[in-house]
Amino acid sequence: HFLFDWKNHAAGPEWSSELLEALLIIQANLCLVKCGLDDDELRERFLPHVIELTSFVHPVLKGLYLLCEKMDDGVAEMMIDYLKKNHSVGILDSRFFELSLLELISEELVKLGSKSAGEECDLLLLVACFKSLDLYDLAEFCKRIADSFNKELTNKQNQSDNVQGSSNFKQIPKVEDQQQLDPDRYYILKQHAGIILIINQFKFYRDQNPELKDLLPLRPLNDRRGTEVDKLAILNIFTAFGYQPLVVENIPHAEILSQVEHAVNSVKSTHCSLVVCLLSHGQEGKIYGSNSIPVNVKSIERAMAAEKLTGKPKLLFVQACQGPDLQSAVEIPQKLEHDGPSSEKTASVFVDFLVAWSTVPGFASVRHIEKGSWFIQELCVKLRELHQRDHIMDILTAVINDVSGKRGYANECMVPIIYSTLRKKLFFEPLKNK
C-alpha cells in the first residue's frame, strides 16, 4: 500500500526510475531480482556506489544514506545524545538513524538544497556534531557531500550570471575594476553588498567532555541579557545597506568555525564584502561557544581570509570581553553586565581586513541588560548617522570617542579597539531613507 500511494503521489513521470535507483542505493538487490530485473545492468546504469552521481534520486539524500551505512550503533547513539542535548531535537531511535535524519530535514536543521530553486545544501549541523565527537572522517564525508552539490550549483549559477551579467550589471563595478574608478575606495553597493553573519550567544552550559575540562572558565557563564537588542540593531542597519543576513544562535565552539566557513562560501563573485559579528562572552583574543569552550578569534580571521575573498574587504566586529576587569575596577551596577568570566593579542596579518573589538585587551565589555551593549549600539547609530559622508575608519573613530566617553552608574568606562589592514577607504552606498 505504501508503494502504491507513493507512486500515485510521485512528482513527474520518472517515478519508476527513481524507485529503481533508490532500491539500488539501499542494496535491495534481492527485491530487484525477484521482480525479474538485472541488478548488474542496473548498477552499471545508476552507479549506486559513486557518492556524487545520481540520475533521479536527490544526490544529497544518496550521500546521507551512505553516511548512515558508515555509522555503527555506537556512533549513531553518540550523535543522537549530542543532538538532543545541544539542539533540542526530537530524535527517534539510534537503531534507525536514517529516520532521525529525515526528522532533521523536516525541521530544516539539515537542508538538502535545490538546483531548480538555486538553494545550497547545508550539512553544517552534522559536520559540527561529528567534529565535536572527534569523528573527523565522518565530518569530512559530510562536507564532501555538501561541497559536491554546492559546487555544481555554483557552476550553474555562474553560467547563468555570464548570460545575464552584461545587461544587468553594467553599472555595477566588479571588485577587480574598482581601481579604475577610484584607487582609494572600496565600493559597497547595496545591490551586491555581500553577506553578514551574526553569531549570537546568549545561553551557556558547561561542556561535560572530560577532555575539554581544562578549557572551561572557573565560574559558569551567565546568560547574556540584552544581546537580542544588539542583534536586531545590527540586522536593521546592515540589511538596509543591502547585506544578506545569516544568523545563528547558541552554538557550541566546534560549530563556530563551520558557520564562518559557510558564510565565506556564501559570498558570490559579484558581492562586495563579508561582515561577521560575534556576540558572546570572551577572554583576551577569544570568544566562548555556548558550551563554555573558547575559540581563538585568530582562527576565525583565518577562516575569513579565504582565497575567494581576495580584494574584498572583510569586517569582523566582536562584542565580548577581553578580560575580567572593568576599566575603573568597580563593581558592576544592577543593569550593567560584562561579557566575560588574558593570552594572545589579535592582530590581523591579512590585507583588506578590519577587526573591531568592543574593548581593549585585558578588560571587560559593558552591556546593558535592556538597551544592549555600548559598543554595538553606538556602532549601529554612527553607521546610520555618518555613512553618507564618512568612511568606516572615521565612523569607528567616532564610535571609540563616544563609547570611551560613556560612564556607568558606578563610573565604569570602556574603550573599543580597532585593527585594520584595509588598503582603501570603505564607504557604504547612501541610504535613501535614513
Side-chain angles (χ1 to χ4, degrees):
H1 291 294
F2 167 76
L3 289 177
F4 181 79
D5 290 341
W6 178 81
K7 181 261 181 186
N8 286 337
H9 291 88
E14 297 172 332
W15 68 269
S16 58
S17 296
E18 183 179 355
L19 177 59
L20 286 175
E21 184 175 14
L23 290 172
L24 277 170
I25 291 171
I26 66 173
Q27 301 178 51
N29 297 47
L30 184 58
C31 177
L32 295 170
V33 171
K34 286 185 176 180
C35 291
L37 299 169
D38 187 334
D39 60 328
D40 289 331
E41 180 183 333
L42 289 173
R43 275 198 299 273
E44 289 182 9
R45 175 184 172 190
F46 291 113
L47 300 174
H49 57 286
V50 181
I51 302 172
E52 295 86 355
L53 296 180
T54 60
S55 299
F56 301 96
V57 171
H58 194 295
V60 178
L61 279 177
K62 177 180 180 179
L64 291 177
Y65 175 79
L66 296 177
L67 170 70
C68 291
E69 290 295 286
K70 289 177 171 288
M71 299 168 57
D72 57 29
D73 290 344
V75 170
E77 189 171 350
M78 289 167 60
M79 279 288 288
I80 286 176
D81 288 343
Y82 184 89
L83 288 166
K84 282 182 177 178
K85 178 179 178 182
N86 294 283
H87 297 279
S88 301
V89 178
I91 304 295
L92 300 171
D93 192 325
S94 61
R95 294 172 299 173
F96 309 106
F97 194 70
E98 294 89 342
L99 297 179
S100 301
L101 282 177
L102 291 177
E103 173 73 14
L104 294 174
I105 293 168
S106 68
E107 295 291 332
E108 296 190 344
L109 294 170
V110 167
K111 297 180 181 179
L112 300 179
S114 169
K115 292 179 182 177
S116 60
E119 297 172 352
E120 288 191 342
C121 165
D122 184 353
L123 304 182
L124 283 174
L125 174 63
L126 297 178
V127 172
C129 289
F130 284 129
K131 285 184 177 179
S132 297
L133 298 171
D134 295 330
L135 300 170
Y136 294 102
D137 289 345
L138 294 177
E140 187 59 33
F141 188 84
C142 270
K143 192 171 183 297
R144 177 183 168 190
I145 295 169
D147 287 349
S148 175
F149 181 88
N150 292 338
K151 182 178 180 181
E152 187 174 342
L153 182 65
T154 300
N155 291 339
K156 183 178 179 181
Q157 289 174 339
N158 288 341
Q159 291 172 1
S160 176
D161 289 344
N162 290 336
V163 173
Q164 301 177 6
S166 58
S167 59
N168 291 344
F169 302 137
K170 281 184 178 178
Q171 305 303 318
I172 306 297
K174 296 180 180 178
V175 172
E176 58 268 25
D177 295 334
Q178 289 181 10
Q179 191 169 356
Q180 299 176 11
L181 300 175
D182 187 340
D184 297 321
R185 177 170 177 167
Y186 297 104
Y187 287 83
I188 307 299
L189 303 164
K190 184 173 182 179
Q191 189 177 357
H192 296 280
I195 301 295
I196 178 167
L197 169 66
I198 302 173
I199 297 180
N200 183 32
Q201 311 278 52
F202 54 88
K203 292 280 188 182
F204 297 86
Y205 64 94
R206 294 175 74 82
D207 200 299
Q208 298 302 306
N209 186 341
E211 296 181 2
L212 301 176
K213 182 179 179 181
D214 292 340
L215 298 176
L216 292 168
L218 295 177
R219 296 184 299 276
L221 298 173
N222 295 325
D223 291 349
R224 297 183 62 254
R225 295 176 294 173
T227 189
E228 182 72 11
V229 182
D230 286 346
K231 181 189 76 173
L232 294 176
I234 294 168
L235 281 172
N236 190 19
I237 185 62
F238 279 96
T239 54
F241 286 146
Y243 284 89
Q244 300 173 22
L246 301 174
V247 181
V248 291
E249 298 183 318
N250 299 327
I251 57 175
H253 76 289
E255 200 170 326
I256 291 176
L257 282 181
S258 296
Q259 292 291 348
V260 174
E261 290 169 357
H262 174 61
V264 169
N265 291 332
S266 299
V267 176
K268 299 180 181 178
S269 60
T270 52
H271 282 155
C272 301
S273 61
L274 169 67
V275 179
V276 175
C277 297
L278 308 174
L279 313 176
S280 186
H281 287 303
Q283 52 178 277
E284 189 168 337
K286 300 177 175 67
I287 63 162
Y288 282 102
S290 61
N291 58 342
S292 301
I293 301 299
V295 173
N296 198 317
V297 173
K298 281 188 177 180
S299 63
I300 295 172
E301 292 178 40
R302 292 189 189 100
M304 294 173 66
E307 185 176 348
K308 68 175 291 186
L309 300 185
T310 300
K312 300 179 190 285
K314 296 160 280 288
L315 312 182
L316 175 60
F317 298 102
V318 186
Q319 168 56 44
C321 286
Q322 291 215 67
D325 298 324
L326 287 168
Q327 292 180 35
S328 59
V330 296
E331 186 177 349
I332 304 169
Q334 185 177 1
K335 289 196 174 183
L336 293 177
E337 299 180 347
H338 56 89
D339 280 331
S342 292
S343 49
E344 301 173 0
K345 290 186 178 179
T346 303
S348 176
V349 295
F350 306 107
V351 75
D352 302 310
F353 249 100
L354 184 147
V355 182
W357 280 83
S358 58
T359 185
V360 295
F363 290 94
S365 180
V366 180
R367 170 177 36 81
H368 194 283
I369 64 175
E370 295 174 357
K371 299 178 181 179
S373 65
W374 288 358
F375 173 65
I376 293 296
Q377 292 301 311
E378 200 61 46
L379 170 66
C380 294
V381 168
K382 286 293 184 284
L383 281 170
R384 189 173 293 277
E385 288 180 351
L386 305 178
H387 77 278
Q388 294 206 28
R389 77 164 192 262
D390 291 340
H391 58 80
I392 188 66
M393 291 303 295
D394 281 351
I395 293 173
L396 286 170
T397 299
V399 171
I400 293 172
N401 181 58
D402 280 18
V403 171
S404 62
K406 289 179 179 290
R407 294 294 181 270
Y409 301 118
N411 203 38
E412 66 272 27
C413 65
M414 189 178 90
V415 180
I417 188 167
I418 314 299
Y419 306 99
S420 174
T421 60
L422 294 179
R423 298 173 294 118
K424 309 174 186 180
K425 297 176 181 178
L426 188 152
F427 288 88
F428 296 98
E429 183 175 336
L431 302 179
K432 293 181 180 179
N433 297 313
K434 291 180 63 178

